[in-house]
Amino acid sequence: MSRSRASPLLPPLTPVSLHSPKPFYLHFRGTIHSSRIAHTTSIQFDSASSSQFVKFIPFASSGGETETVEKGEPTQEPNSQVDTLLDSIKWDDKGLAVAIAQNVDTGAILMQGFVNRDALAATISSGKATFYSRSRSTLWIKGETSKNFINVHDIFLDCDRDSIIYLGKPDGPTCHTGAETCYYTSAFDLLKEQQVEENKLALTTLYLLESTISQRKAELGGSQNEKPSWTKRLLLNDQLLCSKIREEADELCRTLEENEDKFRTASEMADVLYHAMVLLRCRDVKVEDVLEVLRKRFSQSGIEEKRRRSLSN
């Protein structure tokens, strides 16, 4: 990290790099000379000044806008808060606990590893999924070699406090094989057949549908003799697809207007989802991309978000 040129009126400045997926407090001796902080940046303070607490609101929680650094007094010093949390974990006799990384948008289980106190503390402070290597007896950050980091948005503990979930967004494929996740072999398929292609990702219903639609698109241009499936017809005819989306959306609204039963509403919503997902495939947009947009809107007022979109158009 390069050092900034010091002001002739101020003592030498010490750069500090900070990143966190949530607001946090930093305790230090010094006066901040930078009033704003971005996603991953450096702040500088005068080491001659008195001790104080400063609250940092990270870039990731601001919906894309840099937040102002706010001064404040925390109810408890950060080290004490983290230590209290770490003390509550039921570590095994080797000081370890299981940690599972999960995609915050798709819900996909990305990988499983082990953590100790230092690994969990490092994840909390850095926002990068950090584990403990039992074979090398050292901490390791997922992505430190491949650059496919898992950016942790939240951490969950199970009811017994002996296993942990890192809920985060991966920068790329998680598995060292290049697969999206480390889970791509079905045990049921192995029981049915002696040899199974190990490329079947553990997909939930929505993503299995997305995968099927993608497969149908890949099959376009094949045999001209067979009758195309409904999905292929939609993929080949934009006008037909758009008319079906409008039709199904209208039928969904009518279940509310005509006070139809819940099953009817669920059925019509399933039709809307299916046809809309075919449109997404036509536009090469993933469901994950849509869910990421929704997640980023959680912290925004719906009225304000619409106003920003109207201004940008």
Side-chain angles (χ1 to χ4, degrees):
M1 182 184 298
S2 61
R3 295 179 64 88
S4 301
R5 289 180 297 177
S7 166
L9 301 178
L10 297 172
L13 301 177
T14 304
V16 179
S17 180
L18 296 171
H19 170 75
S20 173
K22 286 188 172 183
F24 63 97
Y25 288 96
L26 177 69
H27 180 233
F28 64 87
R29 296 184 63 83
T31 300
I32 288 185
H33 293 295
S34 172
S35 63
R36 300 178 76 81
I37 183 170
H39 186 283
T40 301
T41 187
S42 62
I43 61 169
Q44 297 176 322
F45 57 88
D46 179 354
S47 58
S49 300
S50 59
S51 176
Q52 60 182 308
F53 283 101
V54 173
K55 181 182 179 182
F56 295 98
I57 303 176
F59 181 88
S61 66
S62 66
E65 293 186 355
T66 304
E67 296 282 353
T68 302
V69 174
E70 300 176 355
K71 293 184 179 180
E73 290 293 334
T75 56
Q76 190 178 17
E77 290 194 19
N79 287 345
S80 177
Q81 288 180 314
V82 173
D83 285 341
T84 300
L85 172 65
L86 296 176
D87 289 341
S88 73
I89 307 296
K90 293 182 181 178
W91 308 104
D92 66 15
D93 56 358
K94 296 180 180 178
L96 303 176
V98 171
I100 297 167
Q102 183 178 15
N103 189 311
V104 67
D105 290 322
T106 69
I109 303 301
L110 301 174
M111 62 168 290
Q112 178 249 306
F114 291 87
V115 296
N116 60 5
R117 290 178 66 100
D118 291 341
L120 183 53
T123 301
I124 292 171
S125 64
S126 70
K128 303 291 185 185
T130 304
F131 299 88
Y132 178 80
S133 171
R134 294 176 297 171
S135 60
R136 292 182 285 123
S137 299
T138 186
L139 301 188
W140 64 281
I141 302 172
K142 172 57 189 170
E144 58 189 355
T145 301
S146 66
K147 305 306 178 186
N148 292 328
F149 297 100
I150 298 176
N151 305 291
V152 177
H153 290 257
D154 207 342
I155 298 173
F156 283 83
L157 310 176
D158 79 333
C159 56
D160 294 323
R161 297 218 166 194
D162 58 3
S163 68
I164 297 161
I165 289 179
Y166 288 161
L167 194 62
K169 186 72 173 179
D171 286 334
T174 297
C175 187
H176 71 282
T177 64
E180 182 179 341
T181 84
C182 293
Y183 298 91
Y184 48 77
T185 304
S186 166
F188 285 178
D189 286 351
L190 287 174
L191 293 172
K192 294 176 184 176
E193 306 174 34
Q194 291 185 348
Q195 292 188 1
V196 176
E197 291 187 14
E198 296 186 345
N199 60 359
K200 182 179 179 181
L201 292 177
L203 298 174
T204 52
T205 303
L206 195 63
Y207 295 96
L208 184 59
L209 174 59
E210 181 179 52
S211 177
T212 301
I213 294 172
S214 295
Q215 184 179 345
R216 296 292 178 269
K217 184 177 181 180
E219 293 169 353
L220 294 177
S223 175
Q224 303 297 322
N225 296 326
E226 61 183 44
K227 185 178 180 180
S229 66
W230 176 245
T231 301
K232 290 181 179 179
R233 287 180 59 192
L234 293 172
L235 288 166
L236 291 169
N237 191 328
D238 293 351
Q239 185 175 358
L240 173 63
L241 174 58
C242 290
S243 67
K244 288 301 297 181
I245 292 175
R246 295 185 180 100
E247 175 188 330
E248 300 300 346
D250 179 65
E251 291 182 1
L252 174 63
C253 291
R254 283 165 53 191
T255 67
L256 175 63
E257 296 167 343
E258 299 174 13
N259 195 28
E260 298 185 28
D261 60 53
K262 293 181 179 180
F263 175 80
R264 180 68 175 171
T265 301
S267 177
E268 294 301 339
M269 186 64 207
D271 289 340
V272 171
L273 274 175
Y274 161 69
H275 288 91
M277 287 173 66
V278 175
L279 186 148
L280 290 179
R281 181 66 275 179
C282 288
R283 301 296 301 158
D284 290 324
V285 175
K286 294 182 177 180
V287 173
E288 181 177 357
D289 299 331
V290 177
L291 295 178
E292 182 176 4
V293 171
L294 287 173
R295 170 169 54 81
K296 290 180 177 179
R297 290 180 182 176
F298 285 167
S299 59
Q300 300 180 38
S301 159
I303 296 174
E304 179 62 21
E305 190 274 333
K306 288 183 178 179
R307 186 187 71 81
R308 289 182 180 179
R309 275 195 289 171
S310 64
L311 291 175
S312 62
N313 292 336

